[in-house]
Amino acid sequence: MGFPPETWAWAQEKADQIRKSYGRRKLNLALGLYKEMRLPYGFYECVKSEQWAPWPHEIKTANCQTNASVMYVVAEKLGLQPKLYGVTGIRNPGTLPSAFHLFVEVYIGAKYPVIIDPLQGIIGYWKHDGNQIRLTRDNDVTEHTVKEF
């Protein structure tokens, strides 16, 4: 089962807003997606509605699963060829791991794809390196350039 028409219409509206603000360059669109679609972290809406995974157009606060679905549908409408990734035990090196985490990768035509993970504070060119997610270069947005799992 795919996303409902309401989600795709909502995603198109968000994609149009991002294009208007960030232009048409794919790297700028990826940055716009990261900055404009960051949702506050929380489970309250899911608990209140008794719906663990609402459709992206219904989400007001996000956990990693709901946030990844929002990023995915808007990235699709931006033409960024998104892929969903799930990992177990993601963490900053030397800290306790989380149980499971989802994030989105987008393709912008460069050597490395771009990871977009607002809940972990990550955007940038990345590669999978053993048990690590490693950004290939520093940038002024990302808080942590290495995540272990």
Side-chain angles (χ1 to χ4, degrees):
M1 180 169 122
F3 293 104
E6 298 87 354
T7 290
W8 290 116
W10 173 86
Q12 185 64 60
E13 181 181 309
K14 297 299 181 185
D16 291 345
Q17 291 170 0
I18 290 169
R19 272 194 198 92
K20 185 176 180 180
S21 297
Y22 291 85
R24 296 204 172 267
R25 254 185 88 219
K26 288 186 175 187
L27 181 58
N28 291 349
L29 293 175
L31 184 59
L33 178 62
Y34 176 86
K35 288 183 173 183
E36 302 300 325
M37 299 309 303
R38 288 184 82 157
L39 297 169
Y41 181 80
F43 292 91
Y44 179 72
E45 290 296 323
C46 294
V47 172
K48 185 172 111 178
S49 68
E50 298 180 353
Q51 190 176 30
W52 178 250
W55 296 113
H57 68 278
E58 300 171 331
I59 296 169
K60 296 186 180 38
T61 60
N63 55 55
C64 66
Q65 290 87 355
T66 55
N67 189 72
S69 68
V70 165
M71 294 291 153
Y72 182 88
V73 296
V74 178
E76 182 71 32
K77 288 298 184 178
L78 287 168
L80 298 177
Q81 303 170 357
K83 291 182 184 178
L84 282 173
Y85 282 85
V87 295
T88 56
I90 194 166
R91 63 193 171 132
N92 293 328
T95 65
L96 294 175
S98 66
F100 183 73
H101 187 69
L102 287 172
F103 57 89
V104 173
E105 168 192 284
V106 297
Y107 177 73
I108 63 164
K111 179 179 178 181
Y112 294 103
V114 172
I115 183 174
I116 299 178
D117 187 352
L119 294 182
Q120 290 287 324
I122 300 173
I123 182 173
Y125 298 103
W126 80 293
K127 63 181 179 176
H128 178 250
D129 186 16
N131 70 336
Q132 294 183 329
I133 294 169
R134 185 174 296 276
L135 294 187
T136 61
R137 64 179 94 150
D138 291 337
N139 63 64
D140 61 353
V141 177
T142 296
E143 298 162 13
H144 305 287
T145 58
V146 176
K147 294 283 185 178
E148 295 178 341
F149 54 93

